[in-house]
Amino acid sequence: MKAQHYHKHIFSRYILVFGLMIVMMVSMLSGCTQGEPSNETEGIKQAAVEENANMEEASETIPETPLQLTASAPGYHGELSVTLTIDSDGKMHAVEVGENEETQDIGTLAIEKIPSMIVEAQSLDVDVISGATKTTKGIVNAVANALEAGGYSAEAYGFKDSMKIEMVSISAFDAEMLPEKVPTTSSITVNDVKGRAVTIDLPISTYAISTMDVIDFIIPLKGQEAFDMLVGSGQDGGGGFQKYAQLYVPVVGDYMVHVGQISDHNAPFDLEMILATQPDVLFVNSAMGAHRYALEVEPQLTAAGIQVVLIDVPGKDLKNSVSSTLKLLGDIFEVPERAEEVAGYINDQYAIIEEGIANAGDAPTVYYEKSGYAEIYGPTATSMSGWGLPINMAGGKNIADEILMGTATAGGAGNTIDPEYVLEADPDIIVVSGINDGWLDAINDEKETYAFDIVNRIGWQSLHAIEEGKLYEFAHSTSRSIFAFYPTMKMATLFYPDTFSELDPEAALDVFFDRFMLTDSSISTWFIPYEE
């Protein structure tokens, strides 16, 4: 077929050229007798020239034997399917990503940009979209898989092994491996964060949690038993169900064999899986609407002997929410003295901050943003919620408070403020989270290059914070974790460097891990300063 097409193409060009020569000869003869060529002759000439040019252009841009190769690879929220269009010469013409559940305005930004970057560069060696590392890798890996399926070498297109998503082998849930129940001898009635009286038979044998980060409140109380007793956990936006397994299976053994996934990210609970794992208690944090989803299935769980206990971290008062959560868990796990010891250490760190701020000078103005890019402003938070809580505890003056405080959404997430307002406010310090991978990134073979492309926004180079290099990122999940004292302490040293010149937040974090956790603090990149 290729030979026929080629010969047909050449023959057509010979006909055109021959016809053009005849037209030119007629035109010359006509010119000798009439002085000027006719409009009809000129039209024929122009048509022949344009047709020839169009055929040449078509022969260069239309692949003779286009192939469409489809393959997939893990993204941030499940498999990412791509269709690669490539010609017989190995030129990539299009990359199309199929239906997916990647995060809107974060993962979808990578889906919008990466395919065209691959085609333009004719290479898989493209820059990772800041904040959308897994989605970027998923697209690149899927295109690499498509190339290999079509008989091409992905390495020849710049594919690097470092782009592969490394996942440790995680055992599938096996109901026969659930921990054995022990006889109960007493009971306790506790009031959870919503003031609900919940009666629980003691001792408890097993428990489940709404997301894996809740276990960080239980590890200091129970050590390895925290994993031995765990039978179910929900998924979070950072893939914590798998991340914790990669981190802790080498430390405590293959606990995943008796742990079922009881929910997807920000989704209703899987009632069937919870009933299959039969936890004595389901601990549910307020993050990601988990309270509402838990209460929807509570009647069925209670009927099956499974009690629901609601906690709320960071809540509306970060310091007190951590202390109250530890006390509640200490009573249920029957280790109240240990809970008091852990809470005491954390409260001591907050007390240092409170005492220092009371004697500090004027508060610096602070702007917070989550998962922002040059093209897209991410949401902010007031002093009533999320990252606004540690900023407030560290003595920062949150610029979002002036326009959002007192509104119906002041205590929630998802508030995006006018870019012009940020420029006008000209904050002294900018705090971000969710841009670079930080939380539990010790499981990665190679940490991503830190990127802050938000500094390329219009007007941002003139902001005081950017000029002074006072742009800082904290590992996103830590604002609602037992480790929230660390970012609060670190912010205090950044907001009031003279007042807290002798404060060492990293040392305080290391001591906490040494005394209460099963690993050291190197599990995460807790803090990332911007360096131009």
Side-chain angles (χ1 to χ4, degrees), residues 349-371:
Q349 313 315 308
Y350 285 127
I352 294 172
I353 300 169
E354 292 171 348
E355 181 180 352
I357 291 174
N359 301 312
D362 295 336
T365 56
V366 182
Y367 170 62
Y368 164 73
E369 184 174 328
K370 175 185 180 296
S371 303

Side-chain angles (χ1 to χ4, degrees), residues 80-92:
L80 278 175
S81 176
V82 304
T83 298
L84 168 66
T85 301
I86 188 170
D87 64 28
S88 59
D89 294 327
K91 182 178 180 180
M92 296 184 287

